[in-house]
Amino acid sequence: MHRVIRVSLLSIPNILFILAASTAGVAFAQTTPVTAELRIGGAVSTPLVLTVADLKNMPRKKLTVVNPHNKKTETYEGVLLEDLLRKAAVTQGENLRGAAMATYVLAEAIDGYRVVFSLAELDSGILESEVIVADTMDGVALGAKEGPFKLVAPHEKRPARWVRMLKSITVVRIP
């Protein structure tokens, strides 16, 4: 026995409309810009999720450096990483001693690039590192290939620990 299923031609455009409308939401969600965030976590008392606007409202630091790759002078502006760690209530200053000296900071980019600093390297009570989380270069917001956040370590001989497209800072205390 054969069954005949009748489909009205008027229902095909309705079906196509429903399919198009349901997938349009998916496409819209994929192309809608998401506010960029920098996450600071790990062995911190106060985990942070910061936006560019949050950095703009914090004390700012300007650094002028010569980029070893193109030999051009660049001026970065942002917030000292030390200040961000202080905001996250990470041990610093006179309290940075003993077991806390075995703490490190892992900076990670969107593309998976990662670098490490000892916590002591970022403490101005021990060393003037001036490492910043920059959000501008030469007075302009960092472009998509560099930002929106970039870790800049100005006193290093080469920028191997500079992290473009910075997405997270994780504080790790070695047991």
Side-chain angles (χ1 to χ4, degrees):
M1 177 176 192
H2 298 297
R3 290 187 178 174
V4 176
I5 300 174
R6 292 181 181 230
V7 177
S8 166
L9 290 178
L10 294 176
S11 67
I12 291 175
N14 289 340
I15 292 170
L16 292 175
F17 174 78
I18 291 168
L19 287 172
S22 66
T23 59
V26 172
F28 179 77
Q30 291 173 344
T31 60
T32 302
V34 176
T35 302
E37 297 177 336
L38 173 62
R39 297 184 174 277
I40 301 178
V44 302
S45 296
T46 309
L48 302 173
V49 178
L50 302 167
T51 64
V52 172
D54 294 327
L55 262 63
K56 297 279 187 219
N57 290 320
M58 295 182 71
R60 309 279 290 170
K61 174 80 174 177
K62 275 189 181 181
L63 300 172
T64 301
V65 298
V66 175
N67 184 326
H69 296 300
N70 60 20
K71 308 297 184 217
K72 292 183 180 178
T73 299
E74 300 169 339
T75 301
Y76 289 94
E77 185 175 338
V79 177
L80 285 168
L81 180 53
E82 178 181 20
D83 290 347
L84 295 174
L85 294 173
R86 184 176 297 111
K87 188 172 178 69
V90 174
T91 302
Q92 292 179 321
E94 290 298 318
N95 294 324
L96 184 56
R97 62 179 69 227
M101 291 295 285
T103 302
Y104 66 90
V105 175
L106 173 67
E108 187 170 2
I110 292 168
D111 64 4
Y113 187 73
R114 298 183 302 174
V115 301
V116 172
F117 290 87
S118 73
L119 185 58
E121 286 180 278
L122 303 171
D123 190 304
S124 62
I126 295 173
L127 179 69
E128 289 293 336
S129 67
E130 296 187 303
V131 174
I132 67 168
V133 173
D135 54 11
T136 67
M137 183 181 76
D138 298 331
V140 179
L142 294 170
K145 291 183 178 182
E146 292 290 316
F149 306 107
K150 182 175 183 175
L151 194 70
V152 179
H155 301 299
E156 297 191 344
K157 291 183 179 182
R158 61 187 187 98
R161 292 196 295 178
W162 293 27
V163 181
R164 62 185 177 83
M165 299 183 298
L166 181 67
K167 73 170 185 174
S168 66
I169 304 284
T170 305
V171 178
V172 180
R173 182 171 266 181
I174 297 174

